[in-house]
Amino acid sequence: MTERLVCASDALSDGGDGVRFTVLRQGIEETAFVVRHRGVAHAFINRCGHVPIELDWQEGKFFDITGTYLICATHGAMYSPESGRCLGGRCNGKGLTPLTVVEHDGNIYLKE
């Protein structure tokens, strides 16, 4: 596996704005995002489990107002920022697709 730079570590704060980036999956470029929760960076494909639309209501706004859960701005579906698991709302048990990221040397990298 190779590592591709996503962003600097200090671009993310706990429960704060995420950073959007793109990934190539099965020959299709898709939008993804990385956020920080409880000190750890977590990344997902930017697609709601309910309907295939992006979660953020404004670029980088993935958390609810408390900074605790990831939320779909359109449907209000709530997801765990650690696993992407559906926690409630219109996601109907369908979680987010996680991506593997690692953090070292002051940066966050996507494992490809």
Side-chain angles (χ1 to χ4, degrees), residues 4-108:
R4 178 171 56 108
L5 177 65
V6 173
C7 65
S9 293
D10 63 7
L12 300 177
S13 61
D14 248 36
D17 289 356
V19 172
R20 292 167 54 109
F21 61 100
T22 58
V23 295
L24 193 61
R25 297 181 68 221
Q26 300 172 357
I28 299 170
E29 189 171 83
E30 296 191 64
T31 305
F33 67 95
V34 61
V35 293
R36 185 176 304 285
H37 181 71
R38 295 185 180 165
V40 179
H42 301 278
F44 304 94
I45 296 295
N46 191 4
R47 186 180 327 111
C48 180
H50 174 230
V51 174
I53 59 171
E54 294 183 347
L55 267 68
D56 45 342
W57 56 279
Q58 285 185 327
E59 188 166 323
K61 305 289 185 192
F62 297 99
F63 280 101
D64 66 354
I65 59 171
T66 68
T68 305
Y69 304 107
L70 301 176
I71 189 165
C72 175
T74 303
H75 304 108
M78 294 178 53
Y79 301 92
S80 163
E82 289 124 344
S83 66
R85 184 173 61 88
C86 172
L87 298 174
R90 299 180 89 182
C91 46
N92 299 322
K94 296 178 184 173
L96 302 176
T97 302
L99 299 170
T100 302
V101 290
V102 294
E103 189 168 8
H104 57 81
D105 303 321
N107 291 305
I108 297 170

